[in-house]
């Protein structure tokens, strides 16, 4: 049960253009961000706060992610490449070339062995992290591919594109086994819930949808934003979803209660990216205003530990049927849903602590 509303811990400034991606490492001691300014910044959050700025991409960076063990960073860029970085002071990176247009998203498999990239060349490519080479390519999208993600068990990939389709791919047979269509716009971002039974999509038409990928049914449908939704992130418990929108707000949805619980203000202009930390106690957001905002959640960590115990008791059991958790019909939720408004400008957060000194790490 919530003890208090989410609070803004502090803003970070270091990018000179829109922040397009944000991701935590496994222990939430590091946060990586990427930007239209072509740079990645690694923020060390715990000990004396420091930041390291990595240069290497020739054009805007669109997406960034830590490997599950935190030893590697992957980034995607309008320069048609994916880069793998060792996040250390040498700034070493290797370039994965194969796409012929802007790469829009990059994401690790949960074992850290593979990376999936999605591109405006209408292709999805899967790369070996260890051998730094292309493994295979998936093609069926007829428009720019905006996002692609591995399921938690690595057996499927979900992708979405401007052809208005969300595709489900079997990674073993390398074929598209299912497709959802969204005729009211296109999905800009997709992500799996932690158990891998459900897929959430963010829409250019202001919507957020939850799909059961086993029954191919639409479970929940939210229209709580006033402009396109750019990014979503599941809380590790799977019970909450946070959304980032061009309307300048972040919203937190309670999926079990099927309701909007928080509307968070703080960015000036569109919010482009958001991510929960792996433990769920924090989340970070980035936007057109070049700011990164670091927030503290109020979700009960005890519940999360119980969920982990339940989910990882055995790998053989199928996850419980989603209908035990989510509603039996796809309820439509519109913006009349009332929520708690959190505006950190009224409750002034830490303005005293200066931004960490950013140390420039040049390309190797």
């Amino acid at each position: 049960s919530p003890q208090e509303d989410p609070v803004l811990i502090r803003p970070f400034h270091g990018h000179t253009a829109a922040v397009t991606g944000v991701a935590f490492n496994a222990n939430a001691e590091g946060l990586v961000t990427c930007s239209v300014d072509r740079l990645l910044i690694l923020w060390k959050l715990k000990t004396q706060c420091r930041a390291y700025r990595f240069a290497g991409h020739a054009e805007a960076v669109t997406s960034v992610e830590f490997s599950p063990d935190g030893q590697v960073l992957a980034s995607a860029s309008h320069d048609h490449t994916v880069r793998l970085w060792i996040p250390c002071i040498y700034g070493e990176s290797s370039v994965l070339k194969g796409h012929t247009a802007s790469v829009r998203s990059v994401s690790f498999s949960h074992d850290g062995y593979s990376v999936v990239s999605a591109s405006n060349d209408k292709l999805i490519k899967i790369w070996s992290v260890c051998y730094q080479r292309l493994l295979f390519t998936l093609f069926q999208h007829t428009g720019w591919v905006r996002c692609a993600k591995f399921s938690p068990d690595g057996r499927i990939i979900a992708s979405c594109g401007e052809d208005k389709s969300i595709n489900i791919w079997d990674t073993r047979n390398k074929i598209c086994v299912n497709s959802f269509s969204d005729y009211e716009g296109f999905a800009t971002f997709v992500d799996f819930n932690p158990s891998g039974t459900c897929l959430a999509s963010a829409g250019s038409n202001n919507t957020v949808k939850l799909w059961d990928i086993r029954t191919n049914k639409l479970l929940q449908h939210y229209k709580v934003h006033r402009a396109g939704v750019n990014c979503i992130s599941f809380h590790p418990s799977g019970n909450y979803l946070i959304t980032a929108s061009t309307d300048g707000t972040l919203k937190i949805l309670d999926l079990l209660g099927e309701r909007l619980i928080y509307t968070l203000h703080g960015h000036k202009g569109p919010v482009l990216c958001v991510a929960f930390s792996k433990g769920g106690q924090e989340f970070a957001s980035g936007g057109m205003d070049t700011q990164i905002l670091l927030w503290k959640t109020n979700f009960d960590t005890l519940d999360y530990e119980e969920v982990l115990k339940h989910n990882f008791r055995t790998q053989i059991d199928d996850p419980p049927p989603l209908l035990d958790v989510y509603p039996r019909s796809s309820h439509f939720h519109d913006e009349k849903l009332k929520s708690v408004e959190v505006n950190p400008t009224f409750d002034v957060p830490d303005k005293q602590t200066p931004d960490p000194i950013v140390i420039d790490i040049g390309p190797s």
Side-chain angles (χ1 to χ4, degrees), residues 56-77:
H57 280 293
E59 291 186 43
V61 190
T62 53
S63 174
V64 67
E65 197 173 274
F66 271 104
S67 62
D69 63 5
Q71 302 299 304
V72 184
L73 288 171
S75 60
S77 169

Side-chain angles (χ1 to χ4, degrees), residues 159-190:
S159 64
C160 63
E162 298 194 9
D163 56 7
K164 301 191 175 184
S165 68
I166 297 169
N167 289 349
I168 306 293
W169 309 81
D170 181 323
T171 55
R172 282 169 296 190
N173 302 329
K174 305 174 182 49
I175 54 167
C176 180
V177 291
N178 218 323
S179 196
F180 308 119
S181 288
D182 195 337
Y183 293 110
E184 317 148 42
F186 58 87
T188 56
F189 196 94
V190 287

Side-chain angles (χ1 to χ4, degrees), residues 1-7 262 296-299 340 342:
S1 60
Q3 286 85 36
E4 55 186 14
D5 296 332
V7 290
Y262 290 108
K296 184 180 183 301
T297 65
N298 57 341
F299 302 133
V340 176
V342 177

